[in-house]
Amino acid sequence: MREELIRAALSARENAYVPYSGYAVGAALLTEDGEIVAGCNVENASFGATNCAERTAVFKAVSQGKRRFRAIAIAGGEKGKEPVDYAYPCGICRQVMNEFVAEDFQVIVARSTADYQEYCLDKLLPHGFGGESIR
Ligand code: ZN
């Protein structure tokens, strides 16, 4: 499943709309029921309107009625080239993922299906702010 998820992230990356940075990212989210929902980053001339690949995938999935996720694979780098580095999710995306996942949610940052690192979200977002924080 991990390889399939990474392949989906690499594939989604090809659709990244990145005319300004040239930094193309793909993400693939594994839902609780085993579906894969992919997303890419979408830039905008008004830079603040840009959306990351991870959030694209999460918002897509939620808009399809899926709200529980097991893992996400992320791959990013210069458009048109193989990823050279691991693309870690930004702070905003870590926070968005935190809204819909359990403690064992896995974040996989990949350069290829054979070259990746895997983290629990809790390690990337310790003491995250969640719904229970405001009850
Ligand atoms: Zn982000």
Side-chain angles (χ1 to χ4, degrees):
M1 183 49 88
R2 190 180 292 110
E3 277 190 27
E4 192 181 341
L5 207 57
I6 293 170
R7 260 196 299 278
L10 290 166
S11 175
R13 187 173 169 253
E14 293 171 16
N15 294 325
Y17 176 73
V18 290
Y20 307 109
S21 74
Y23 188 78
V25 183
L29 196 58
L30 180 65
T31 69
E32 202 167 58
D33 54 3
E35 273 189 64
I36 293 177
V37 179
C40 63
N41 54 338
V42 182
E43 292 185 348
N44 192 280
S46 174
F47 291 172
T50 293
N51 204 59
C52 299
E54 301 92 315
R55 275 178 290 143
T56 300
V58 170
F59 296 155
K60 247 174 89 176
V62 172
S63 72
Q64 294 169 359
K66 303 168 200 333
R67 293 188 177 172
R68 300 306 301 171
F69 311 117
R70 297 205 304 242
I72 191 169
I74 307 161
E78 190 177 337
K79 188 164 180 68
K81 297 185 178 175
E82 298 297 313
V84 174
D85 296 313
Y86 300 116
Y88 293 92
C90 78
I92 298 172
C93 288
R94 293 177 197 202
Q95 177 64 33
V96 167
M97 288 186 262
N98 189 58
E99 184 75 18
F100 299 104
V101 304
E103 281 175 9
D104 59 349
F105 179 78
Q106 296 293 302
V107 177
I108 302 159
V109 288
R111 293 194 281 219
S112 70
T113 53
D115 180 356
Y116 59 84
Q117 294 186 347
E118 197 165 355
Y119 302 87
C120 276
L121 182 61
D122 188 51
K123 171 137 189 171
L124 300 178
L125 186 71
H127 310 291
F129 187 81
E132 71 284 353
S133 305
I134 54 175
R135 283 196 190 102

